[in-house]
Amino acid sequence: ADSKETRELFYDTVHCINKKDYQKEQLDVWAKKEADLEKWNQSLLNNHSLVAIDEGKIIGFGDIDNSGYLDRLFVHKDYQRRGIATYLCNQLERYAKGKITVQASITAKPFFEKRGYRVRKAQEVYREGIALTNYVMEKDRRNLG
């Protein structure tokens, strides 16, 4: 039931918050306006997914899979810097059994570094021939919090 709202939040957040670190053409291939909501929903159902709600509105969401890969963590553009990502991340990290990995954007990298994640490698991910820089980061479960 939340797939349309989480998908819109993802799109808006990427295009508003990440625009300081990525060019428009990069944002457009990262978060397209049109999306396969069934595929999006299934990916969230396959993982341990959480949403943050304020007055009936989804203001953040995140998900992690059984291997400890934190796939998504996004907070509505109007609710940034209020502890929502921290709360969601705390809960998602508790679900992990071992090491936690994430592919963090340039924008999200400082957030994860403050949480004890370490960069394993910088990489270029290509979508439709357009390169996006991100960072494979890892955190040992013993350093949660």
Side-chain angles (χ1 to χ4, degrees):
D2 297 333
S3 61
K4 186 175 188 293
E5 196 173 348
T6 56
R7 183 64 177 89
E8 288 171 357
L9 187 152
F10 164 73
Y11 176 86
D12 290 343
T13 301
V14 167
H15 283 267
C16 292
I17 302 302
N18 296 90
K19 70 181 180 183
K20 69 181 178 114
D21 296 310
Y22 296 91
Q23 297 172 4
K24 183 178 183 333
E25 67 178 2
Q26 292 173 307
L27 301 173
D28 288 343
V29 295
W30 177 4
K32 295 182 177 198
K33 186 68 173 166
E34 301 301 318
D36 182 341
L37 286 180
E38 189 173 314
K39 185 178 175 183
W40 175 266
N41 187 53
Q42 192 58 50
S43 71
L44 289 170
L45 290 173
N46 289 342
N47 294 341
H48 180 71
S49 302
L50 299 173
V51 294
I53 299 172
D54 182 41
E55 297 183 8
K57 175 182 177 180
I58 295 176
I59 58 171
F61 75 97
D63 65 304
I64 192 167
D65 71 14
N66 289 332
S67 73
Y69 176 66
L70 199 154
D71 191 8
R72 289 165 281 218
L73 182 64
F74 290 91
V75 174
H76 189 282
K77 63 182 176 62
D78 296 335
Y79 290 81
Q80 298 280 313
R81 303 204 179 276
R82 296 187 189 183
I84 297 160
T86 297
Y87 178 79
L88 287 169
C89 200
N90 285 344
Q91 300 308 310
L92 293 168
E93 287 176 349
R94 287 186 181 105
Y95 180 79
K97 305 274 188 280
K99 289 192 180 193
I100 304 161
T101 58
V102 65
Q103 291 187 41
S105 67
I106 295 167
T107 315
K109 182 178 172 257
F111 169 81
F112 287 107
E113 285 176 326
K114 287 178 187 171
R115 296 187 59 79
Y117 286 75
R118 298 291 173 244
V119 174
R120 293 295 170 227
K121 70 175 181 173
Q123 64 182 7
E124 297 290 317
V125 176
Y126 287 86
R127 298 206 176 149
E128 298 179 20
I130 297 173
L132 293 103
T133 299
N134 72 15
Y135 302 90
V136 176
M137 301 182 77
E138 185 176 84
K139 182 176 185 180
D140 191 292
R141 185 140 164 70
R142 293 176 297 224
N143 298 325
L144 295 181

